[in-house]
Amino acid sequence: MDHLLNEQQLEVRQAIRDFAEQEIRPTVAARDASGEFPGDIVKKLGELGFMGVNTPEEFGGAGMDTVTYCIVVEELSRVDPAVAVIVSVNNSLVCYPLEKFATPKQCEEWLKPLASGKMLGAFCLTEPGSGSDAAAISTTAVKNGNDWIINGTKQFITNGQMSDAYLIFARTEKSADKAKGVTAFIVPRDAKGLRRGPNEKKMGIRSSDCCAIIFEDVRLSDAYRLGKEGDGFKIAMIALDSGRIGIASQAVGLAQGALEEAVKYAKSRQQFGRPIAEFQAIQFKLADMEMMTEAARLLSYNAASKKDSGKRYTHEAAMAKLFASDMVMKVTLESLQIHGGNGYLRDYPVERMLRDAKVTEIYEGTSEIQRFIIARSLLA
């Protein structure tokens, strides 16, 4: 794979891998157990430029390409996908749509501090009554003079507890087409009437915070609107295309970590007088795990390259996310199987890895939704 990467990408990969090993790995197990948010780690990642990898330098970001962004998320996920998803959401779901739709004043006030790591952002689309049916949102924003009054509840919001800015989507007019009449807004953390629910007790990626965000008569001036009235659904879908590349890379990195743990264990575990790595049954498992991981990596880089070319990449992002999330479930499960009974214990990281993997099939569009997107593109 190295021959596909340029010198800068290889340097970034080594830098982020060293950071993940030195700064993140020592606390992974403890944070998984406690659910503690990795605040110091996120702050350091911001200082290194990884909270705005793709964002142009004039907007506070690192100005790197999307393949480099994939590498960053992948290397973080190889050690801790909980940290990786915090980075991914800020980059893909918050900074990217702001870069595309924010006014110069909004870029100065919001995008620059978000991309430089001085602020943290959250993407608020999902609601208790609208998950896969994203257009069915019931949160409302009603015009009141030059202000908007926002009411509703968003659910499963990554970075929800810790964010300084919330990119939210609300219905601003009724329409027969549910995708129309939705508008995007940037809501500051200290907005009067905004409340955060308790941190959800999740199966995996436990040190990534996740909660409900409640809006009760939150009043915002029109200066907080992102893009045109009625363009909110379009903005959300553009953000999710970008986000799916990040989740595909999260799955690839997690699978790489699980594969490395399996190889290490297979070489050290003795059965019948020799390492289990010498048995063909184990070798074939490892071969399949390597092949699937590499295939998912190539799909992710392909989607990233198409994004960088300026062409539409919805189809490629959906394929990468679908394949990678399906793949990481198989790879982490096989890694646990190679570990045998030890894999079922929290003493070994593969137990956590399997729990962490499942969410990649769910958030930023379930696997079923990805299949729908791919099929619709083929049949169009």
Side-chain angles (χ1 to χ4, degrees), residues 115-300:
S116 62
K118 294 174 183 174
M119 284 186 178
L120 183 65
F123 179 84
C124 305
L125 179 63
T126 298
E127 297 181 1
S130 65
S132 293
D133 186 6
I137 63 173
S138 59
T139 295
T140 59
V142 178
K143 204 72 175 284
N144 186 290
N146 194 44
D147 293 344
W148 296 91
I149 309 298
I150 301 174
N151 283 283
T153 299
K154 299 296 182 178
Q155 191 176 39
F156 305 141
I157 305 305
T158 300
N159 299 345
Q161 292 275 345
M162 308 304 293
S163 279
D164 303 287
Y166 300 87
L167 177 56
I168 77 138
F169 301 87
R171 188 160 301 286
T172 49
E173 61 178 88
K174 293 182 179 179
S175 172
D177 183 350
K178 292 186 296 184
K180 296 179 179 178
V182 174
T183 302
F185 298 90
I186 308 162
V187 184
R189 178 182 181 85
D190 60 359
K192 187 178 179 181
L194 184 152
R195 291 192 294 112
R196 287 164 285 277
N199 197 15
E200 302 287 358
K201 297 177 181 178
K202 305 191 302 296
M203 171 182 173
I205 56 167
R206 288 170 42 80
S207 68
S208 158
D209 72 308
C210 175
C211 68
I213 306 294
I214 302 100
F215 303 91
E216 294 178 341
D217 291 331
V218 173
R219 179 181 288 268
L220 296 174
S221 76
D222 196 53
Y224 290 91
R225 172 173 49 84
L226 180 67
K228 298 177 182 177
E229 287 185 39
D231 277 357
F233 189 77
K234 178 180 77 173
I235 293 171
M237 294 304 104
I238 288 171
L240 285 171
D241 282 345
S242 175
R244 285 164 185 155
I245 295 176
I247 300 308
S249 298
Q250 182 189 24
V252 169
L254 179 52
Q256 183 66 46
L259 171 60
E260 291 171 7
E261 290 295 331
V263 170
K264 181 171 66 176
Y265 187 83
K267 287 180 176 180
S268 64
R269 175 64 169 169
Q270 296 274 335
Q271 288 290 277
F272 305 102
R274 52 181 170 151
I276 62 172
E278 294 184 11
F279 293 103
Q280 191 178 70
I282 301 299
Q283 292 174 358
F284 281 9
K285 286 182 184 294
L286 294 172
D288 287 345
M289 292 160 71
E290 164 75 357
M291 176 183 65
M292 289 188 291
T293 303
E294 194 75 351
R297 183 177 284 115
L298 286 167
L299 279 171
S300 301

Side-chain angles (χ1 to χ4, degrees), residues 288-322:
D288 287 345
M289 292 160 71
E290 164 75 357
M291 176 183 65
M292 289 188 291
T293 303
E294 194 75 351
R297 183 177 284 115
L298 286 167
L299 279 171
S300 301
Y301 288 3
N302 178 61
S305 296
K306 191 159 187 186
K307 180 188 174 188
D308 286 335
S309 74
K311 298 176 182 176
R312 188 176 180 185
Y313 58 96
T314 301
H315 182 83
E316 289 76 12
M319 287 198 299
K321 200 264 187 188
L322 173 62

Side-chain angles (χ1 to χ4, degrees), residues 26-37 80 82 199-208 346-347 351-352 355-356:
T27 61
V28 174
R31 284 184 290 100
D32 175 63
S34 68
E36 180 185 353
F37 184 81
D80 187 3
N199 197 15
E200 302 287 358
K201 297 177 181 178
K202 305 191 302 296
M203 171 182 173
I205 56 167
R206 288 170 42 80
S207 68
S208 158
R346 293 199 172 184
D347 297 352
E351 180 272 340
R352 171 185 55 81
R355 289 188 286 107
D356 287 347

Side-chain angles (χ1 to χ4, degrees), residues 14 62 64 78 103 145 184 211 237 275 297 306 339 354 375:
Q14 190 60 56
M64 292 187 261
R78 173 179 163 270
T103 65
C211 68
M237 294 304 104
R297 183 177 284 115
K306 191 159 187 186
H339 281 72
L354 179 59

Side-chain angles (χ1 to χ4, degrees), residues 87-120:
V87 172
S88 178
V89 165
N90 196 78
N91 273 272
S92 294
L93 296 183
V94 183
C95 288
Y96 184 64
L98 284 174
E99 177 195 335
K100 293 298 180 185
F101 295 98
T103 65
K105 185 177 179 181
Q106 288 172 335
C107 286
E108 193 69 31
E109 185 177 359
W110 299 107
L111 181 54
K112 279 189 177 181
L114 285 162
S116 62
K118 294 174 183 174
M119 284 186 178
L120 183 65

